Amino acid sequence: MTSLLPSDITALASQVIEANAAAGRTVALAESCTGGLVAAALTEIAGSSAVLDRGFVTYSNEAKMESLGVASDIIETFGAVSIACVWAMANGALANSDADIAVAVSGVAGPGGGTDLKPVGTVVFARVERGETGEPQGELMRFDSDGRSAIRMEATKCALKMLMPDGNVSECAGRE
């Protein structure tokens, strides 16, 4: 089978589709630095329409606020690359969908845009399940900067792992 994406990503996407279909769950995505790559990976898999409810590519801060309801004070206080922001993005994706789970991702893919606190390769993730209570599930990763594409691909893999029923991202390289 020919795919637009690397085989490791499509294999992981296939596992996500299979596991969530078996669990009867649907997913939504809120993507920033990955620019829709997570949704693209899922839609490479036949049967993805039974699992993927929708995806939001909210690259700009304005899009995060308008499409997902991220409060401006979150972005002003913590920045778009923060656990607070991706948690709000994931909640917004869930609120604006019929999905059972939402995963959000935002980061600094480079080559510019990094700071001392958030260097290039910093990516944050959040996962929210409908009806879940308690602390939000979030992860901050720092990937070695092998270039913009490599950072985006690693972030895509981690987001896919968060979509698994167990939500395990501990295998992601670059975990802080």
Side-chain angles (χ1 to χ4, degrees):
M1 174 175 106
T2 303
S3 174
L4 294 170
L5 298 169
S7 61
D8 58 339
I9 289 179
T10 54
L12 185 54
S14 182
Q15 292 171 9
V16 168
I17 296 298
E18 184 178 310
N20 282 288
R25 295 178 359 150
T26 57
V27 303
L29 302 163
E31 300 184 66
S32 187
C33 69
T34 50
L37 280 173
V38 182
L42 293 176
T43 58
E44 280 289 289
I45 308 306
S48 60
S49 60
V51 172
L52 178 62
D53 180 67
R54 68 193 73 196
F56 299 87
V57 177
T58 53
Y59 207 71
S60 71
N61 291 343
E62 291 76 19
K64 289 171 182 64
M65 292 184 287
E66 291 171 13
S67 298
L68 300 173
V70 176
S72 61
D73 62 340
I74 288 175
I75 293 174
E76 290 167 9
T77 303
F78 303 105
V81 181
S82 66
I83 295 291
C85 183
V86 291
W87 188 71
M89 289 169 63
N91 274 302
L94 205 60
N96 290 295
S97 73
D98 294 322
D100 300 301
I101 183 172
V103 167
V105 57
S106 184
V108 185
T115 66
D116 288 341
L117 290 175
K118 297 175 187 174
V120 170
T122 302
V123 183
V124 289
F125 304 85
R127 169 188 154 123
V128 176
E129 291 189 50
R130 192 170 300 284
E132 183 180 74
T133 58
E135 292 296 311
Q137 298 179 43
E139 298 284 343
L140 182 143
M141 310 275 182
R142 289 220 170 95
F143 301 109
D144 289 334
S145 181
D146 290 332
R148 182 176 181 82
S149 294
I151 291 166
R152 293 177 70 223
M153 288 296 181
E154 289 302 316
T156 297
K157 289 179 206 175
C158 287
L160 287 168
K161 289 176 183 178
M162 289 189 87
L163 287 169
M164 294 296 287
D166 63 5
N168 186 359
V169 295
S170 63
E171 298 174 17
C172 291
R175 189 171 183 189
E176 278 286 293

